[in-house]
Amino acid sequence: MPVNAKHALVLEDGTGKVLMEKNADAVVPIASLTKLMTAMVVLDAKPDMNEKIRIAQEDVDTLKHSASRVRVGAEMTRLAALKLALMSSENRAAAALARTYPGGLAGFTQAVQAKIRSLGLSHTAIAEPTGLSPANTSTAMEVAKIANAAARYPEISQITSDKKDVVPVNGRPREVHNTNRLVGAKGWDIQLSKTGYTEEAGRCLTMRMTSAGKPVTVVLLDADGSAQRLRDAAKIRQSLAKLHS
């Protein structure tokens, strides 16, 4: 498969037929693609999404010291935190969702392990909710399963397929933009999307989209940069158009 990403997979939804693949069974770090898992586990607990939660000192990334646009002490609803975590890949929001999970972080971690088992993921390990840790690993094949499971949650599909949204933080509206520039772009029909990046994982992307009238799941892991990741996605779309023409 002529893509820059070291691991890639395109699956036909419904049939599960592999249309293209490249090293799709190698276990590698998945960075913020983790947040799809975090979102599912949080929603499974059926918490009050309008309840206010506050960003705490322990939500701050001490591992990578990644930048954040949400200050410690910032207050928002759980739904706002979910939107920040999924759309703009805000690590503190994801950490706060896990920390305020029933039973705290320990309860969250247990629920994640149960979710991994229930989805039948034998090559996926999740150590924490953001994806900053290189110990969060999976394969392109299993990331496709995670994306397919996440797509069954209307909230996740809706949030991740929006180009932008306005989210109240501390009662003030804040505009958030999708980290995947292809969402809402001309000619792209994307129903679910999540990007990821850490030094260890490279540039990652998973999305469910309709191409040439066919629904497919795309996974790209460890591309060499944002431009390459977008180029890979465009190449895949062109190949699919030829395949289905």
Side-chain angles (χ1 to χ4, degrees):
M1 183 166 165
V3 291
N4 168 272
K6 293 184 186 61
H7 313 275
L9 179 72
V10 183
L11 276 189
E12 193 172 68
D13 292 341
T15 65
K17 185 176 149 201
V18 174
L19 300 177
M20 301 174 208
E21 70 113 16
K22 177 182 177 181
N23 302 334
D25 293 318
V27 175
V28 290
I30 57 166
S32 282
L33 303 189
T34 298
K35 292 185 177 88
L36 288 173
M37 202 66 158
T38 298
M40 286 192 281
V41 167
V42 167
L43 290 167
D44 284 348
K46 306 228 178 322
D48 177 359
M49 295 307 283
N50 294 313
E51 188 187 343
K52 294 261 174 53
I53 62 174
R54 197 182 284 274
I55 301 295
Q57 191 58 47
E58 54 261 52
D59 302 326
V60 175
D61 162 28
T62 53
L63 187 67
K64 300 271 192 236
H65 306 286
S66 54
S68 172
R69 291 179 57 227
V70 191
R71 286 204 307 271
V72 170
E75 195 181 58
M76 66 196 78
T77 63
R78 210 174 250 109
L79 180 62
L82 189 68
K83 287 182 177 181
L84 286 167
L86 288 174
M87 263 181 111
S88 56
S89 212
E90 179 53 68
N91 293 316
R92 289 179 187 178
L97 285 167
R99 180 177 51 78
T100 59
Y101 185 86
L105 210 43
F108 173 81
T109 305
Q110 254 178 331
V112 169
Q113 302 319 317
K115 191 71 176 171
I116 288 172
R117 287 193 298 273
S118 77
L119 294 176
L121 307 174
S122 48
H123 304 292
T124 298
I126 305 284
E128 50 77 45
T130 65
L132 288 163
S133 168
N136 289 12
T137 56
S138 189
T139 67
M141 191 61 85
E142 294 203 346
V143 166
K145 287 185 183 174
I146 292 169
N148 280 313
R152 293 198 283 271
Y153 295 73
E155 304 91 332
I156 300 178
S157 295
Q158 192 189 338
I159 293 167
T160 66
S161 60
D162 273 347
K163 192 179 169 72
K164 59 181 187 181
D165 201 356
V166 174
V167 172
V169 177
N170 283 332
R172 285 192 293 278
R174 173 175 297 189
E175 195 170 277
V176 287
H177 293 262
N178 201 307
T179 51
N180 179 4
R181 293 213 300 266
L182 301 175
V183 170
K186 190 170 180 278
W188 290 86
D189 179 6
I190 297 169
Q191 291 92 40
L192 177 125
S193 162
K194 188 72 200 79
T195 61
Y197 171 73
T198 59
E199 217 170 314
E200 296 91 348
R203 299 280 166 182
C204 302
L205 171 67
T206 185
M207 52 186 183
R208 280 174 63 113
M209 63 180 200
T210 305
S211 181
K214 292 261 174 43
V216 294
T217 298
V218 176
V219 181
L220 296 166
L221 302 176
D222 201 1
D224 290 327
S226 301
Q228 289 287 13
R229 181 171 63 186
L230 293 173
R231 214 168 287 140
D232 282 356
K235 270 187 192 165
I236 287 169
R237 193 177 69 152
Q238 282 156 1
S239 307
L240 289 171
K242 284 198 194 96
L243 198 68
H244 292 136
S245 61

